[in-house]
Amino acid sequence: MSRIGKMPITIPSGVQVKIENSTIDVKGPKGALSRSIHSRISVNIEDEKILVTRPNDEKQNKALHGLTRALINNMVVGVTQGFTRRLEIQGVGYRAAVEGKSLKLDLGYSHPIFYPFPQGIDIRVEKNTLLFVEGIDKEVVGQTAAEIRAFRKPEPYKGKGVRYAGEVIRLKVGKKNA
């Protein structure tokens, strides 16, 4: 059995889980999420725990088993605690600001970049260079952070650009003196 797939998911107090046909709905204090489940995987609720099972040991069923369990666990964690991705901006004159429901980025281009918040995502800016992307859906939080980072990836000579917090950029050596 899949080591991840066979672990039960405990349902915290204040979270409601409903399974209908091949759709699972999770409601909690931070919001509600819904996801369809592959037809080969079965999900049951027993004693305030969610159990994910597969019909046999085919390769695709094994892969879907662990994936489904991880996705459902992320839904439960998202509606109770939420997810956050931190981004850092490095470079002279590089800064970010929140204007209404969009993010204004000055990243060394001749024009500022305006990035509208996706639905269900909140972005905070601290000290003009620290961004916090927050939301209940882990997929959307990660995708939003990746899209913001893609506006100006860290360059390999000085390290200027947008990077994930704690990301290590290996800097190249510049030209040597002749």
Side-chain angles (χ1 to χ4, degrees):
M1 286 214 83
S2 167
R3 283 182 276 170
I4 292 174
K6 68 181 179 182
M7 292 189 299
I9 304 166
T10 52
I11 302 172
S13 61
V15 175
Q16 299 171 345
V17 179
K18 188 169 66 172
I19 301 169
E20 288 183 4
N21 300 330
S22 64
T23 304
I24 184 165
D25 298 316
V26 180
K27 291 182 184 173
K30 290 204 174 235
L33 292 172
S34 180
R35 180 177 289 279
S36 62
I37 301 166
H38 197 278
S39 59
R40 294 183 187 177
I41 303 298
S42 62
V43 179
N44 300 317
I45 299 174
E46 296 175 10
D47 302 328
E48 294 298 315
K49 293 187 181 204
I50 302 172
L51 300 173
V52 181
T53 56
R54 65 176 187 242
N56 55 34
D57 287 346
E58 287 182 19
K59 190 171 186 178
Q60 187 176 14
N61 290 345
K62 284 181 176 182
L64 288 170
H65 189 211
L67 171 72
T68 304
R69 192 261 178 209
L71 291 174
I72 294 171
N73 187 51
N74 286 341
M75 290 170 67
V76 172
V77 171
V79 298
T80 54
Q81 301 168 3
F83 293 100
T84 303
R85 288 290 277 178
R86 284 184 42 200
L87 295 165
E88 299 170 346
I89 300 175
Q90 290 191 348
V92 177
Y94 289 15
R95 67 178 70 73
V98 175
E99 293 184 0
K101 279 289 187 182
S102 68
L103 179 68
K104 179 185 175 193
L105 296 165
D106 293 318
L107 299 175
Y109 297 116
S110 61
H111 59 283
I113 299 167
F114 291 94
Y115 181 76
F117 294 2
Q119 188 170 355
I121 295 294
D122 187 39
I123 300 175
R124 291 185 295 121
V125 177
E126 291 181 5
K127 302 182 202 171
N128 293 333
T129 58
L130 278 177
L131 287 114
F132 295 91
V133 181
E134 300 169 337
I136 61 172
D137 192 349
K138 189 174 186 177
E139 246 179 279
V140 178
V141 169
Q143 183 63 37
T144 302
E147 288 172 2
I148 293 171
R149 182 181 183 272
F151 288 128
R152 177 73 87 171
K153 291 182 181 175
E155 54 97 13
Y157 293 100
K158 292 185 180 177
K160 298 190 320 183
V162 182
R163 66 176 72 179
Y164 298 117
E167 180 180 7
V168 177
I169 306 297
R170 291 183 54 189
L171 297 179
K172 294 181 179 178
V173 179
K175 289 184 179 178
K176 298 282 186 189
N177 290 340

